[in-house]
Amino acid sequence: MSGRRRIPWGVYLALVPALGLLGFFGYYPDISGLVHSLTNWEPGFSSPFVGLANYRAMWHDSLWWESFVHLGIIFVVAVTAMWVIPLAAAELLITLSRPRWRLFFRYLLIVPLAFSPVIQVLTWQLIYDPNVGVLNGFLGQLGLEALEKNWLGDPNTALWALILINFPWIAGLPFLIFSIGLQNIPGEIFDAAAIDGAGRWKRFLAIDLPLLLRQVKLLFFLSVVFVLQYGFAPYIATQGGPDNATTVPVLRIVGVAFDAGEWGYAAALSTTLLVIMMLMSGLTLLAGRRRAPGGAR
Amino acid sequence: MAGAPTLPSRVRARPITPRRLMDLAAAAVLSCLAFVGLFPYLYMLETAVKSDSQFNSNEATPTWPLRFGNFATAWREVAPYLLSSIVVAACAMFGCILLGSVSGFVLARYRFPGRNLFFGLIALLLLVPNMASLIPLFVLMRDLGLLNSYPDLIIPQLTTQTVFSVVLMKTYIEHLPEELFDAAQIDGASPARTYWSITLPLARPIIGTVALFSVISVWSDYFWPELTIVTNSLRTVPVGVQFFQGELTTSYGPLFAGYLIASLPLLILFVALARNFLAGIEGGLAADR
């Protein structure tokens, strides 16, 4: 084939705009960040080379590592509860025998996706408000005044209050991926299982779960992306406080760059975040590849 | 609701089968989950039509009369943010559809040296989180003198969305029937014509997906406009609503009316294009395989 065809030179011309844009605004900043992480970066002035000093400073930055502990807690919730509840909802959805009901509930469950995440956080902020918030109001109505708290202002509850924003976390990619996955399982498989006398729970364990496991690689990757970039909710609702209880790496980076003006150090932290991200993604992809040949497709 | 009238007769014909019981149980649990998920938005809607005194005397349940005047107050505050967001979203959307469809078409339909390398380089950017590039990108934009301008808002959106767009379009165009392109070639259609008259019309569903994703992205991006924009009229919705909150600290009615107005374009688009949205995720899953 290729011997007969000449190289279509026009294709390179067609790719130039996209490659140019992504090269200059996609690749260049990351490389620039990597290079300048080895300097005392003063945007607009000369930036003296300082070797690994920024990375050594990072090693002793207790706030930076504390922020990863918070991220770890968020990540554990993101790959357990934030998958289990959407999975349960997706299972319930295909349990419904009428397609019309399925469609109705699916739309109802994903409506929150249509609201800006910032507006979601601002709304929850008011729900958590210690004085006029409905959460404390509700507890008061039940006679549980003792449980009333300044949810976002108390170091013991602030991180959990942030995590619980958008509970029950159904309006998101995990739910959509699970429900599309379940929908794409051919009906004959379910019929065969029913004839063999497999109940609903047994079918879930024997058919649904193994078939959905194929999506777990993708979901894990998406969770890594989501968690490592997590930051705007604490930035808006708690500014990383109280007492640094909700600091996450992104907040630390923004603080180091924009408040302290230490651009070289911020570049070192950014590059570290990027490397962690690439490592996690690489491992996810490799782990998936080893399992793939045994898969159904 | 055409199915509703048949429901009671079925109930009478077959009282309670296990299947019906399971349906009812599932619907009941799903209703609870949907209610908890929608509660903040119902609360937003309910608060948006309250006056200050109504809110102060009763923050939880609806009160009468409904104060629709809050929406007029809120509109004056939110309109500039909406305009800015729409300009940014429209430019990024148009740009990423153009770049994505051309590159996707070329990468999917032609064999040439470097094809896999170029696609790999583009797809690799999917793994680079925006937040990791924030600092160096800020310095780049500063050096270019673009901070606090429309290009400053549009370019990062365009970059991120083009990556998605190329990957989704390439995968989609690859799966279009080969015969159509062979037929076009036999008829002597030029590559440009094949792109314009065959690929683009067939790729309409995925174009809808990409369009929706780019609007969602503008309505979600917070840090970039927050850190680079100081002119109030340039602020996009995510940062604008926060400033607007400062203006109306204690007036929750107009505040929530403003949140609703600010959400409206995305909400409408979402309802109109929900099918594309789901198709896009399915396409993404296919690309992942």
Side-chain angles (χ1 to χ4, degrees):
Chain A
M1 264 297 212
S2 57
R4 208 148 43 83
R5 275 190 206 156
R6 298 214 319 275
I7 295 172
W9 294 106
V11 298
Y12 294 107
L13 205 63
L15 286 174
V16 163
L19 289 174
L21 176 81
L22 299 183
F24 194 61
F25 292 103
Y27 275 100
Y28 172 74
D30 295 321
I31 294 165
S32 155
L34 176 66
V35 171
H36 285 98
S37 72
L38 304 172
T39 70
N40 188 0
W41 201 1
E42 302 272 1
F45 301 95
S46 68
S47 305
F49 181 78
V50 294
L52 294 173
N54 287 323
Y55 290 94
R56 269 197 296 277
M58 179 180 82
W59 188 251
H60 299 291
D61 185 341
S62 58
L63 192 52
W64 172 250
W65 299 116
E66 194 189 329
S67 75
F68 273 96
V69 174
H70 301 150
L71 217 55
I73 296 171
I74 297 168
F75 186 71
V76 168
V77 180
V79 298
T80 52
M82 290 190 193
W83 287 0
V84 170
I85 299 176
L87 176 60
E91 278 288 340
L92 286 169
L93 207 61
I94 57 155
T95 302
L96 293 172
S97 57
R98 284 159 187 269
R100 193 188 302 271
W101 283 27
R102 285 186 198 180
L103 217 59
F104 171 73
F105 277 111
R106 178 149 90 169
Y107 281 130
L108 216 55
L109 289 168
I110 65 173
V111 165
L113 271 177
F115 287 87
S116 166
V118 174
I119 291 177
Q120 297 175 344
V121 170
L122 292 171
T123 308
W124 277 81
Q125 207 181 353
L126 180 61
I127 292 175
Y128 285 138
D129 190 284
N131 303 314
V132 295
V134 278
L135 182 56
N136 278 352
F138 180 66
L139 290 172
Q141 298 257 309
L142 291 178
L144 296 168
E145 282 91 350
L147 290 179
E148 286 182 16
K149 274 195 178 64
N150 182 0
W151 300 99
L152 288 166
D154 181 337
N156 295 318
T157 55
L159 187 63
W160 288 102
L162 285 178
I163 292 173
L164 283 167
I165 285 178
N166 287 344
F167 181 83
W169 312 298
I170 292 173
L173 282 173
F175 171 72
L176 289 169
I177 289 171
F178 285 137
S179 74
I180 289 169
L182 286 176
Q183 213 174 29
N184 288 347
I185 297 175
E188 299 91 66
I189 297 185
F190 292 148
D191 296 340
I195 291 166
D196 290 346
R200 190 66 187 77
W201 179 247
K202 202 164 174 197
R203 190 191 97 190
F204 169 70
L205 290 178
I207 302 174
D208 300 0
L209 213 52
L211 283 169
L212 286 176
L213 273 179
R214 273 191 298 167
Q215 321 285 14
V216 165
K217 180 182 75 170
L218 176 68
L219 274 175
F220 193 84
F221 167 69
L222 292 171
S223 298
V224 170
V225 177
F226 164 76
V227 171
L228 282 176
Q229 305 215 62
Y230 183 79
F232 78 89
Y235 187 91
I236 292 168
T238 63
Q239 292 83 44
D243 211 9
N244 294 324
T246 56
T247 305
V248 291
V250 166
L251 279 196
R252 180 77 184 128
I253 292 175
V254 170
V256 165
F258 290 89
D259 299 339
E262 297 173 19
W263 294 88
Y265 187 38
L269 298 183
S270 296
T271 305
T272 307
L273 197 66
L274 180 64
V275 169
I276 293 172
M277 174 80 201
M278 299 295 248
L279 279 178
M280 299 275 285
S281 315
L283 287 177
T284 316
L285 293 176
L286 278 180
R289 184 154 299 163
R290 219 166 344 107
R291 227 188 7 242
R297 237 198 282 176
Chain B
M1 274 291 110
T6 61
L7 203 64
S9 61
R10 281 251 181 111
V11 174
R12 246 173 276 129
R14 277 188 297 151
I16 292 179
T17 62
R19 158 162 253 182
R20 224 187 116 61
L21 205 63
M22 197 117 109
D23 265 4
L24 285 174
V29 179
L30 283 170
S31 304
C32 291
L33 287 172
F35 176 77
V36 177
L38 288 173
F39 172 76
Y41 311 98
L42 298 172
Y43 179 61
M44 190 193 283
L45 189 64
E46 175 221 319
T47 309
V49 290
K50 277 182 182 171
S51 69
D52 286 352
S53 58
Q54 283 172 329
F55 182 82
N56 288 334
S57 61
N58 180 357
E59 71 251 20
T61 48
T63 50
W64 273 261
L66 304 177
R67 310 289 173 133
F68 289 107
N70 287 343
F71 283 92
T73 315
W75 169 251
R76 283 193 291 277
E77 297 278 337
V78 174
Y81 310 137
L82 272 179
L83 179 70
S84 171
S85 303
I86 289 168
V87 170
V88 173
C91 292
M93 186 200 287
F94 181 76
C96 79
I97 288 171
L98 183 70
L99 291 174
S101 59
V102 170
S103 314
F105 168 66
V106 164
L107 288 167
R109 286 291 151 197
Y110 293 90
R111 301 276 172 277
F112 54 90
R115 173 174 171 267
N116 290 330
L117 173 74
F118 288 144
F119 183 67
L121 280 175
I122 294 172
L124 188 63
L125 282 175
L126 283 176
L127 304 186
V128 178
N130 280 346
M131 291 313 300
S133 320
L134 184 78
I135 300 302
L137 189 62
F138 179 87
V139 177
L140 174 63
M141 287 300 204
R142 184 201 156 277
D143 293 346
L144 293 172
L146 290 176
L147 292 181
N148 195 32
S149 69
Y150 270 118
D152 164 70
L153 288 168
I154 294 165
I155 291 171
Q157 284 292 339
L158 182 61
T159 310
T160 321
Q161 292 312 308
T162 298
V163 175
F164 273 103
S165 175
V166 171
V167 173
L168 281 177
M169 297 256 196
K170 186 241 183 196
T171 314
Y172 190 86
I173 295 170
E174 237 169 17
H175 287 96
L176 291 175
E178 190 79 46
E179 301 82 48
L180 286 169
F181 293 91
D182 290 343
Q185 205 176 22
I186 291 165
D187 289 348
S190 67
R193 194 168 164 128
T194 316
Y195 164 75
W196 185 257
S197 312
I198 296 180
T199 313
L200 272 191
L202 288 174
R204 215 177 286 151
I206 200 76
I207 289 174
T209 308
V210 171
L212 181 59
F213 281 179
S214 51
V215 177
I216 291 179
S217 166
V218 172
W219 254 257
S220 316
D221 192 21
Y222 177 76
F223 276 111
W224 186 257
E226 163 74 13
L227 296 171
T228 65
I229 298 297
V230 289
T231 307
N232 193 43
S233 62
L234 280 176
R235 289 199 169 102
T236 52
V237 161
V239 288
V241 288
Q242 233 201 332
F243 272 85
F244 157 70
Q245 187 188 27
E247 300 285 307
L248 300 164
T249 347
T250 49
S251 281
Y252 288 107
L255 186 66
F256 277 67
Y259 292 171
L260 279 173
I261 295 174
S263 308
L264 220 52
L266 189 55
L267 203 60
I268 292 169
L269 209 65
F270 197 81
V271 170
L273 293 176
R275 208 176 285 273
N276 292 77
F277 180 71
L278 296 172
I281 290 164
E282 259 181 288
L285 292 181
D288 176 60
R289 288 306 305 166

